[in-house]
Amino acid sequence: TAETISVTVSVSGVALTGTGTITFTPGAVSASTSSFSASPTSVTVGNASTVTVHVRDANDNPISGLTDAAFTVGGLGNAQKGTVTATATAGDYTFTVTNTTAETITVTVSVSGVALTGTGTITFTPGAVSASTSSFSASPTSLTAGSASTVTVHVRDANDNPISGLTDAAFT
């Protein structure tokens, strides 16, 4: 256990004086006892998912005092990572992942060069329909009565992500 202990020594009932404080510090980051997870795993573009990283040594002691520089985050696609910060729980850290692109990413996390296992798949879904980025057109635009024209609709969110899966009921 990582802890500080005080040692006292007595010989034949006589207390000896000396330095008797010993500090046991956590060992190196362990991949088998450390982990990470993202929540929520599905979020609308423009919003954030929070990744929580549990950093432990081989004896499951929490490793505190790490800075953002100790963390390498990959698999972000078009997403942006926030700064890694310590939580109130020793050895636990969090960072946010935001995105304006509708896509599924799989975040990877390494701490001090040690790759961790965890749940890092985050799906960023399109936002609401935006009138400024959506459009429609008709072809042909001039025709005789009784003929047909095809109307093509491009539905997009405010970040220009296409919105699919809409049913007839969504259109008026």
Side-chain angles (χ1 to χ4, degrees), residues 48-116:
S49 178
T50 299
V51 177
T52 301
V53 185
H54 305 286
V55 184
R56 307 290 187 266
D57 70 8
N59 294 310
D60 206 30
N61 293 304
I63 300 175
S64 297
L66 300 175
T67 64
D68 184 68
F71 295 80
T72 303
V73 177
L76 292 171
N78 293 306
Q80 301 296 314
K81 172 193 90 63
T83 302
V84 177
T85 57
T87 70
T89 302
D92 285 2
Y93 301 83
T94 60
F95 63 91
T96 57
V97 178
T98 58
N99 206 340
T100 57
T101 302
E103 64 181 338
T104 298
I105 63 171
T106 301
V107 174
T108 60
V109 178
S110 293
V111 181
S112 301
V114 177
L116 307 185

Short mmCIF file of all heavy atoms in Angstrom, two decimals, residues 48-116:
data_model
loop_
_atom_site.label_atom_id
_atom_site.label_comp_id
_atom_site.label_asym_id
_atom_site.label_seq_id
_atom_site.Cartn_x
_atom_site.Cartn_y
_atom_site.Cartn_z
N ALA A 48 -20.34 17.55 -25.32
CA ALA A 48 -19.13 16.86 -24.88
C ALA A 48 -19.42 15.51 -24.25
O ALA A 48 -20.46 15.30 -23.63
CB ALA A 48 -18.38 17.71 -23.87
N SER A 49 -18.47 14.60 -24.44
CA SER A 49 -18.42 13.34 -23.71
C SER A 49 -17.24 13.47 -22.75
O SER A 49 -16.22 14.05 -23.11
CB SER A 49 -18.21 12.17 -24.67
OG SER A 49 -18.12 10.95 -23.96
N THR A 50 -17.38 12.95 -21.55
CA THR A 50 -16.30 13.02 -20.57
C THR A 50 -15.63 11.66 -20.47
O THR A 50 -16.30 10.65 -20.28
CB THR A 50 -16.83 13.44 -19.18
OG1 THR A 50 -17.42 14.75 -19.29
CG2 THR A 50 -15.71 13.47 -18.14
N VAL A 51 -14.31 11.66 -20.59
CA VAL A 51 -13.53 10.44 -20.44
C VAL A 51 -12.89 10.47 -19.06
O VAL A 51 -12.24 11.44 -18.68
CB VAL A 51 -12.44 10.31 -21.53
CG1 VAL A 51 -11.60 9.06 -21.31
CG2 VAL A 51 -13.09 10.29 -22.92
N THR A 52 -13.16 9.41 -18.28
CA THR A 52 -12.58 9.28 -16.94
C THR A 52 -11.49 8.22 -17.00
O THR A 52 -11.71 7.13 -17.52
CB THR A 52 -13.67 8.86 -15.92
OG1 THR A 52 -14.70 9.85 -15.92
CG2 THR A 52 -13.09 8.74 -14.52
N VAL A 53 -10.31 8.57 -16.48
CA VAL A 53 -9.16 7.68 -16.50
C VAL A 53 -8.78 7.34 -15.06
O VAL A 53 -8.60 8.23 -14.24
CB VAL A 53 -7.96 8.35 -17.20
CG1 VAL A 53 -6.79 7.37 -17.34
CG2 VAL A 53 -8.36 8.90 -18.57
N HIS A 54 -8.73 6.04 -14.75
CA HIS A 54 -8.32 5.55 -13.44
C HIS A 54 -6.87 5.08 -13.57
O HIS A 54 -6.62 4.11 -14.29
CB HIS A 54 -9.19 4.38 -12.97
CG HIS A 54 -10.66 4.70 -12.95
ND1 HIS A 54 -11.25 5.49 -12.00
CD2 HIS A 54 -11.65 4.34 -13.81
CE1 HIS A 54 -12.54 5.60 -12.25
NE2 HIS A 54 -12.81 4.92 -13.34
N VAL A 55 -5.94 5.76 -12.91
CA VAL A 55 -4.52 5.44 -13.04
C VAL A 55 -4.04 4.78 -11.74
O VAL A 55 -4.11 5.38 -10.66
CB VAL A 55 -3.68 6.70 -13.35
CG1 VAL A 55 -2.22 6.32 -13.58
CG2 VAL A 55 -4.25 7.44 -14.56
N ARG A 56 -3.56 3.53 -11.89
CA ARG A 56 -3.14 2.74 -10.73
C ARG A 56 -1.80 2.06 -11.02
O ARG A 56 -1.45 1.83 -12.17
CB ARG A 56 -4.18 1.65 -10.41
CG ARG A 56 -5.62 2.12 -10.24
CD ARG A 56 -5.78 2.93 -8.96
NE ARG A 56 -7.16 3.27 -8.66
CZ ARG A 56 -7.75 4.40 -9.00
NH1 ARG A 56 -7.11 5.29 -9.71
NH2 ARG A 56 -8.99 4.66 -8.65
N ASP A 57 -1.07 1.69 -9.96
CA ASP A 57 0.13 0.89 -10.13
C ASP A 57 -0.24 -0.59 -10.07
O ASP A 57 -1.42 -0.94 -9.94
CB ASP A 57 1.22 1.27 -9.11
CG ASP A 57 0.90 0.87 -7.67
OD1 ASP A 57 -0.09 0.16 -7.41
OD2 ASP A 57 1.69 1.27 -6.79
N ALA A 58 0.75 -1.47 -10.14
CA ALA A 58 0.48 -2.91 -10.17
C ALA A 58 -0.20 -3.43 -8.91
O ALA A 58 -0.86 -4.47 -8.93
CB ALA A 58 1.79 -3.67 -10.40
N ASN A 59 -0.06 -2.69 -7.79
CA ASN A 59 -0.71 -3.09 -6.54
C ASN A 59 -2.04 -2.37 -6.33
O ASN A 59 -2.57 -2.36 -5.22
CB ASN A 59 0.23 -2.83 -5.36
CG ASN A 59 1.45 -3.72 -5.41
OD1 ASN A 59 1.32 -4.93 -5.57
ND2 ASN A 59 2.62 -3.12 -5.32
N ASP A 60 -2.55 -1.74 -7.38
CA ASP A 60 -3.83 -1.02 -7.36
C ASP A 60 -3.78 0.25 -6.52
O ASP A 60 -4.81 0.75 -6.08
CB ASP A 60 -4.98 -1.93 -6.92
CG ASP A 60 -6.31 -1.45 -7.47
OD1 ASP A 60 -6.33 -0.86 -8.56
OD2 ASP A 60 -7.34 -1.66 -6.80
N ASN A 61 -2.60 0.79 -6.29
CA ASN A 61 -2.47 2.08 -5.60
C ASN A 61 -2.75 3.20 -6.60
O ASN A 61 -2.23 3.17 -7.72
CB ASN A 61 -1.06 2.26 -5.04
CG ASN A 61 -0.75 1.29 -3.94
OD1 ASN A 61 -1.46 1.21 -2.95
ND2 ASN A 61 0.32 0.51 -4.11
N PRO A 62 -3.55 4.19 -6.21
CA PRO A 62 -3.82 5.31 -7.12
C PRO A 62 -2.55 6.13 -7.33
O PRO A 62 -1.75 6.31 -6.41
CB PRO A 62 -4.90 6.12 -6.40
CG PRO A 62 -4.80 5.72 -4.96
CD PRO A 62 -4.26 4.33 -4.93
N ILE A 63 -2.37 6.61 -8.56
CA ILE A 63 -1.22 7.46 -8.89
C ILE A 63 -1.73 8.88 -9.11
O ILE A 63 -2.44 9.16 -10.08
CB ILE A 63 -0.48 6.94 -10.14
CG1 ILE A 63 0.03 5.51 -9.88
CG2 ILE A 63 0.66 7.87 -10.50
CD1 ILE A 63 0.67 4.85 -11.08
N SER A 64 -1.39 9.75 -8.20
CA SER A 64 -1.83 11.15 -8.26
C SER A 64 -0.69 12.04 -8.73
O SER A 64 0.44 11.61 -8.86
CB SER A 64 -2.30 11.60 -6.86
OG SER A 64 -3.40 10.84 -6.45
N GLY A 65 -1.03 13.30 -8.96
CA GLY A 65 -0.02 14.30 -9.29
C GLY A 65 0.38 14.35 -10.75
O GLY A 65 1.34 15.04 -11.10
N LEU A 66 -0.32 13.66 -11.63
CA LEU A 66 0.02 13.69 -13.04
C LEU A 66 -0.56 14.94 -13.70
O LEU A 66 -1.60 15.46 -13.27
CB LEU A 66 -0.51 12.44 -13.75
CG LEU A 66 0.02 11.10 -13.23
CD1 LEU A 66 -0.69 9.94 -13.95
CD2 LEU A 66 1.52 11.01 -13.41
N THR A 67 0.11 15.41 -14.74
CA THR A 67 -0.39 16.56 -15.49
C THR A 67 -0.84 16.10 -16.87
O THR A 67 -0.62 14.96 -17.27
CB THR A 67 0.71 17.63 -15.66
OG1 THR A 67 1.76 17.08 -16.45
CG2 THR A 67 1.23 18.09 -14.30
N ASP A 68 -1.43 17.01 -17.61
CA ASP A 68 -1.92 16.73 -18.96
C ASP A 68 -0.82 16.13 -19.84
O ASP A 68 -1.09 15.27 -20.68
CB ASP A 68 -2.46 18.03 -19.59
CG ASP A 68 -3.07 17.82 -20.95
OD1 ASP A 68 -4.12 17.17 -21.04
OD2 ASP A 68 -2.50 18.32 -21.94
N ALA A 69 0.42 16.54 -19.62
CA ALA A 69 1.55 16.06 -20.44
C ALA A 69 1.79 14.56 -20.30
O ALA A 69 2.36 13.94 -21.21
CB ALA A 69 2.81 16.83 -20.08
N ALA A 70 1.35 13.94 -19.22
CA ALA A 70 1.55 12.50 -19.01
C ALA A 70 0.58 11.65 -19.83
O ALA A 70 0.77 10.45 -19.96
CB ALA A 70 1.40 12.16 -17.53
N PHE A 71 -0.44 12.28 -20.39
CA PHE A 71 -1.50 11.56 -21.10
C PHE A 71 -1.37 11.74 -22.61
O PHE A 71 -1.23 12.86 -23.09
CB PHE A 71 -2.88 12.06 -20.65
CG PHE A 71 -3.17 11.78 -19.20
CD1 PHE A 71 -2.66 12.59 -18.20
CD2 PHE A 71 -3.96 10.70 -18.85
CE1 PHE A 71 -2.92 12.32 -16.86
CE2 PHE A 71 -4.23 10.43 -17.52
CZ PHE A 71 -3.71 11.24 -16.52
N THR A 72 -1.43 10.64 -23.34
CA THR A 72 -1.47 10.68 -24.80
C THR A 72 -2.82 10.12 -25.22
O THR A 72 -3.17 9.00 -24.85
CB THR A 72 -0.33 9.84 -25.41
OG1 THR A 72 0.91 10.32 -24.91
CG2 THR A 72 -0.36 9.91 -26.92
N VAL A 73 -3.56 10.93 -25.95
CA VAL A 73 -4.91 10.54 -26.38
C VAL A 73 -4.92 10.46 -27.90
O VAL A 73 -4.51 11.38 -28.59
CB VAL A 73 -5.96 11.55 -25.87
CG1 VAL A 73 -7.36 11.18 -26.36
CG2 VAL A 73 -5.92 11.64 -24.35
N GLY A 74 -5.38 9.32 -28.42
CA GLY A 74 -5.45 9.12 -29.86
C GLY A 74 -6.85 8.74 -30.30
O GLY A 74 -7.77 8.66 -29.50
N GLY A 75 -7.00 8.51 -31.60
CA GLY A 75 -8.28 8.07 -32.16
C GLY A 75 -9.35 9.13 -32.18
O GLY A 75 -10.54 8.81 -32.24
N LEU A 76 -8.96 10.39 -32.15
CA LEU A 76 -9.94 11.47 -32.03
C LEU A 76 -10.67 11.82 -33.33
O LEU A 76 -11.68 12.51 -33.28
CB LEU A 76 -9.27 12.73 -31.47
CG LEU A 76 -8.81 12.63 -30.02
CD1 LEU A 76 -7.97 13.84 -29.65
CD2 LEU A 76 -10.00 12.49 -29.09
N GLY A 77 -10.17 11.36 -34.47
CA GLY A 77 -10.82 11.75 -35.72
C GLY A 77 -10.81 13.26 -35.83
O GLY A 77 -9.76 13.89 -35.72
N ASN A 78 -11.98 13.88 -36.01
CA ASN A 78 -12.09 15.34 -36.08
C ASN A 78 -12.37 15.98 -34.73
O ASN A 78 -12.52 17.19 -34.64
CB ASN A 78 -13.22 15.72 -37.06
CG ASN A 78 -12.88 15.34 -38.48
OD1 ASN A 78 -11.84 15.70 -38.99
ND2 ASN A 78 -13.75 14.56 -39.10
N ALA A 79 -12.47 15.17 -33.69
CA ALA A 79 -12.82 15.67 -32.36
C ALA A 79 -11.66 16.40 -31.70
O ALA A 79 -10.51 16.26 -32.09
CB ALA A 79 -13.28 14.51 -31.47
N GLN A 80 -12.00 17.16 -30.67
CA GLN A 80 -11.01 17.93 -29.90
C GLN A 80 -11.02 17.43 -28.46
O GLN A 80 -12.08 17.19 -27.88
CB GLN A 80 -11.37 19.42 -29.90
CG GLN A 80 -11.42 20.03 -31.29
CD GLN A 80 -10.08 20.00 -31.98
OE1 GLN A 80 -9.06 20.35 -31.40
NE2 GLN A 80 -10.07 19.55 -33.23
N LYS A 81 -9.82 17.30 -27.88
CA LYS A 81 -9.66 16.86 -26.49
C LYS A 81 -9.43 18.08 -25.61
O LYS A 81 -8.65 18.96 -25.94
CB LYS A 81 -8.46 15.92 -26.38
CG LYS A 81 -8.08 15.54 -24.95
CD LYS A 81 -6.72 14.87 -24.87
CE LYS A 81 -5.57 15.78 -24.67
NZ LYS A 81 -5.48 16.57 -23.48
N GLY A 82 -10.10 18.09 -24.47
CA GLY A 82 -9.84 19.12 -23.48
C GLY A 82 -8.63 18.74 -22.63
O GLY A 82 -8.06 17.66 -22.77
N THR A 83 -8.25 19.61 -21.73
CA THR A 83 -7.12 19.38 -20.84
C THR A 83 -7.46 18.30 -19.82
O THR A 83 -8.55 18.28 -19.26
CB THR A 83 -6.74 20.68 -20.10
OG1 THR A 83 -6.44 21.67 -21.08
CG2 THR A 83 -5.54 20.48 -19.20
N VAL A 84 -6.51 17.40 -19.57
CA VAL A 84 -6.69 16.36 -18.54
C VAL A 84 -6.50 17.01 -17.18
O VAL A 84 -5.50 17.69 -16.94
CB VAL A 84 -5.68 15.20 -18.73
CG1 VAL A 84 -5.84 14.17 -17.62
CG2 VAL A 84 -5.86 14.55 -20.09
N THR A 85 -7.47 16.80 -16.29
CA THR A 85 -7.37 17.35 -14.94
C THR A 85 -7.68 16.26 -13.91
O THR A 85 -8.44 15.33 -14.18
CB THR A 85 -8.36 18.52 -14.72
OG1 THR A 85 -9.68 18.08 -15.00
CG2 THR A 85 -8.02 19.71 -15.62
N ALA A 86 -7.07 16.40 -12.74
CA ALA A 86 -7.30 15.46 -11.65
C ALA A 86 -8.68 15.71 -11.04
O ALA A 86 -9.17 16.84 -11.00
CB ALA A 86 -6.23 15.63 -10.59
N THR A 87 -9.32 14.64 -10.57
CA THR A 87 -10.60 14.76 -9.87
C THR A 87 -10.32 14.75 -8.37
O THR A 87 -9.17 14.67 -7.94
CB THR A 87 -11.55 13.60 -10.21
OG1 THR A 87 -11.05 12.39 -9.63
CG2 THR A 87 -11.70 13.43 -11.72
N ALA A 88 -11.37 14.79 -7.57
CA ALA A 88 -11.22 14.74 -6.11
C ALA A 88 -10.83 13.34 -5.63
O ALA A 88 -10.38 13.17 -4.50
CB ALA A 88 -12.52 15.18 -5.44
N THR A 89 -10.98 12.34 -6.49
CA THR A 89 -10.62 10.96 -6.13
C THR A 89 -9.18 10.71 -6.56
O THR A 89 -8.84 10.89 -7.74
CB THR A 89 -11.56 9.96 -6.83
OG1 THR A 89 -12.90 10.25 -6.45
CG2 THR A 89 -11.22 8.53 -6.45
N ALA A 90 -8.33 10.30 -5.63
CA ALA A 90 -6.92 10.06 -5.92
C ALA A 90 -6.76 9.10 -7.09
O ALA A 90 -7.40 8.05 -7.14
CB ALA A 90 -6.21 9.51 -4.69
N GLY A 91 -5.91 9.47 -8.04
CA GLY A 91 -5.62 8.61 -9.19
C GLY A 91 -6.63 8.67 -10.30
O GLY A 91 -6.48 7.98 -11.31
N ASP A 92 -7.67 9.50 -10.18
CA ASP A 92 -8.68 9.63 -11.22
C ASP A 92 -8.54 10.98 -11.91
O ASP A 92 -8.34 12.01 -11.26
CB ASP A 92 -10.09 9.50 -10.64
CG ASP A 92 -10.45 8.06 -10.30
OD1 ASP A 92 -9.60 7.16 -10.47
OD2 ASP A 92 -11.59 7.84 -9.85
N TYR A 93 -8.66 10.94 -13.22
CA TYR A 93 -8.50 12.12 -14.06
C TYR A 93 -9.63 12.14 -15.09
O TYR A 93 -10.17 11.10 -15.44
CB TYR A 93 -7.15 12.08 -14.80
CG TYR A 93 -5.97 12.01 -13.85
CD1 TYR A 93 -5.55 10.79 -13.32
CD2 TYR A 93 -5.30 13.16 -13.48
CE1 TYR A 93 -4.48 10.73 -12.44
CE2 TYR A 93 -4.22 13.10 -12.60
CZ TYR A 93 -3.82 11.89 -12.09
OH TYR A 93 -2.77 11.83 -11.21
N THR A 94 -9.97 13.34 -15.57
CA THR A 94 -11.00 13.45 -16.60
C THR A 94 -10.55 14.43 -17.68
O THR A 94 -9.72 15.31 -17.43
CB THR A 94 -12.35 13.94 -16.06
OG1 THR A 94 -12.19 15.23 -15.47
CG2 THR A 94 -12.93 12.97 -15.05
N PHE A 95 -11.11 14.25 -18.87
CA PHE A 95 -10.99 15.22 -19.94
C PHE A 95 -12.25 15.10 -20.80
O PHE A 95 -12.92 14.08 -20.78
CB PHE A 95 -9.71 15.04 -20.77
CG PHE A 95 -9.60 13.74 -21.51
CD1 PHE A 95 -10.06 13.60 -22.80
CD2 PHE A 95 -8.98 12.65 -20.91
CE1 PHE A 95 -9.93 12.39 -23.48
CE2 PHE A 95 -8.84 11.44 -21.57
CZ PHE A 95 -9.31 11.32 -22.86
N THR A 96 -12.56 16.17 -21.52
CA THR A 96 -13.74 16.16 -22.38
C THR A 96 -13.32 15.97 -23.83
O THR A 96 -12.20 16.31 -24.22
CB THR A 96 -14.56 17.46 -22.25
OG1 THR A 96 -13.71 18.56 -22.58
CG2 THR A 96 -15.12 17.61 -20.85
N VAL A 97 -14.24 15.43 -24.61
CA VAL A 97 -14.06 15.28 -26.05
C VAL A 97 -15.27 15.93 -26.70
O VAL A 97 -16.42 15.58 -26.39
CB VAL A 97 -13.95 13.80 -26.46
CG1 VAL A 97 -13.80 13.67 -27.97
CG2 VAL A 97 -12.77 13.12 -25.75
N THR A 98 -15.02 16.90 -27.58
CA THR A 98 -16.10 17.58 -28.30
C THR A 98 -15.86 17.43 -29.80
O THR A 98 -14.73 17.17 -30.23
CB THR A 98 -16.16 19.08 -27.94
OG1 THR A 98 -14.89 19.68 -28.24
CG2 THR A 98 -16.51 19.28 -26.48
N ASN A 99 -16.93 17.62 -30.56
CA ASN A 99 -16.82 17.44 -32.00
C ASN A 99 -17.92 18.22 -32.69
O ASN A 99 -19.04 18.32 -32.19
CB ASN A 99 -16.95 15.94 -32.34
CG ASN A 99 -16.27 15.56 -33.63
OD1 ASN A 99 -16.01 16.40 -34.47
ND2 ASN A 99 -15.99 14.28 -33.78
N THR A 100 -17.59 18.78 -33.85
CA THR A 100 -18.62 19.42 -34.68
C THR A 100 -18.92 18.57 -35.91
O THR A 100 -19.78 18.92 -36.71
CB THR A 100 -18.18 20.83 -35.14
OG1 THR A 100 -16.94 20.72 -35.83
CG2 THR A 100 -18.05 21.77 -33.95
N THR A 101 -18.23 17.44 -36.02
CA THR A 101 -18.45 16.51 -37.13
C THR A 101 -19.21 15.29 -36.63
O THR A 101 -18.84 14.71 -35.61
CB THR A 101 -17.10 16.06 -37.74
OG1 THR A 101 -16.39 17.22 -38.18
CG2 THR A 101 -17.31 15.10 -38.90
N ALA A 102 -20.24 14.91 -37.35
CA ALA A 102 -20.99 13.70 -36.99
C ALA A 102 -20.14 12.49 -37.41
O ALA A 102 -19.91 12.27 -38.59
CB ALA A 102 -22.34 13.68 -37.68
N GLU A 103 -19.66 11.75 -36.43
CA GLU A 103 -18.82 10.59 -36.69
C GLU A 103 -18.70 9.75 -35.42
O GLU A 103 -19.01 10.22 -34.33
CB GLU A 103 -17.42 11.00 -37.16
CG GLU A 103 -16.62 11.77 -36.11
CD GLU A 103 -15.24 12.18 -36.60
OE1 GLU A 103 -14.71 11.58 -37.55
OE2 GLU A 103 -14.68 13.13 -36.01
N THR A 104 -18.26 8.52 -35.59
CA THR A 104 -17.97 7.64 -34.46
C THR A 104 -16.46 7.55 -34.34
O THR A 104 -15.76 7.30 -35.33
CB THR A 104 -18.58 6.25 -34.65
OG1 THR A 104 -20.01 6.39 -34.72
CG2 THR A 104 -18.22 5.32 -33.50
N ILE A 105 -15.95 7.80 -33.13
CA ILE A 105 -14.51 7.73 -32.88
C ILE A 105 -14.24 6.70 -31.79
O ILE A 105 -15.13 6.37 -31.00
CB ILE A 105 -13.92 9.10 -32.48
CG1 ILE A 105 -14.52 9.59 -31.15
CG2 ILE A 105 -14.14 10.12 -33.58
CD1 ILE A 105 -13.84 10.81 -30.57
N THR A 106 -13.03 6.19 -31.76
CA THR A 106 -12.62 5.28 -30.70
C THR A 106 -11.37 5.87 -30.06
O THR A 106 -10.28 5.82 -30.62
CB THR A 106 -12.36 3.87 -31.23
OG1 THR A 106 -13.56 3.39 -31.84
CG2 THR A 106 -11.96 2.92 -30.10
N VAL A 107 -11.58 6.47 -28.89
CA VAL A 107 -10.50 7.13 -28.16
C VAL A 107 -9.56 6.07 -27.57
O VAL A 107 -10.01 5.05 -27.06
CB VAL A 107 -11.09 8.01 -27.03
CG1 VAL A 107 -10.00 8.60 -26.15
CG2 VAL A 107 -11.96 9.10 -27.61
N THR A 108 -8.26 6.34 -27.66
CA THR A 108 -7.26 5.52 -26.98
C THR A 108 -6.54 6.41 -25.98
O THR A 108 -6.40 7.61 -26.19
CB THR A 108 -6.25 4.92 -27.97
OG1 THR A 108 -5.57 5.99 -28.66
CG2 THR A 108 -6.93 4.02 -28.98
N VAL A 109 -6.09 5.81 -24.88
CA VAL A 109 -5.41 6.57 -23.83
C VAL A 109 -4.15 5.83 -23.39
O VAL A 109 -4.20 4.63 -23.11
CB VAL A 109 -6.33 6.79 -22.60
CG1 VAL A 109 -5.59 7.55 -21.49
CG2 VAL A 109 -7.60 7.53 -22.99
N SER A 110 -3.05 6.57 -23.34
CA SER A 110 -1.80 6.07 -22.75
C SER A 110 -1.40 7.04 -21.65
O SER A 110 -1.59 8.24 -21.78
CB SER A 110 -0.69 5.99 -23.79
OG SER A 110 -0.96 5.02 -24.76
N VAL A 111 -0.85 6.49 -20.57
CA VAL A 111 -0.37 7.32 -19.47
C VAL A 111 1.09 6.97 -19.24
O VAL A 111 1.42 5.79 -19.02
CB VAL A 111 -1.20 7.09 -18.18
CG1 VAL A 111 -0.69 7.98 -17.06
CG2 VAL A 111 -2.68 7.34 -18.44
N SER A 112 1.92 7.98 -19.32
CA SER A 112 3.37 7.79 -19.16
C SER A 112 3.88 6.66 -20.06
O SER A 112 4.71 5.85 -19.66
CB SER A 112 3.73 7.53 -17.70
OG SER A 112 3.31 8.61 -16.89
N GLY A 113 3.33 6.58 -21.27
CA GLY A 113 3.76 5.59 -22.26
C GLY A 113 3.10 4.23 -22.14
O GLY A 113 3.37 3.34 -22.94
N VAL A 114 2.21 4.05 -21.15
CA VAL A 114 1.54 2.76 -20.95
C VAL A 114 0.13 2.84 -21.54
O VAL A 114 -0.69 3.66 -21.10
CB VAL A 114 1.47 2.39 -19.45
CG1 VAL A 114 0.70 1.09 -19.24
CG2 VAL A 114 2.86 2.31 -18.85
N ALA A 115 -0.16 1.99 -22.54
CA ALA A 115 -1.48 1.97 -23.17
C ALA A 115 -2.49 1.33 -22.23
O ALA A 115 -2.25 0.24 -21.70
CB ALA A 115 -1.42 1.20 -24.48
N LEU A 116 -3.61 2.00 -22.02
CA LEU A 116 -4.66 1.50 -21.13
C LEU A 116 -5.78 0.86 -21.95
O LEU A 116 -5.99 1.19 -23.12
CB LEU A 116 -5.24 2.63 -20.29
CG LEU A 116 -4.26 3.48 -19.48
CD1 LEU A 116 -5.02 4.46 -18.61
CD2 LEU A 116 -3.33 2.62 -18.65
#
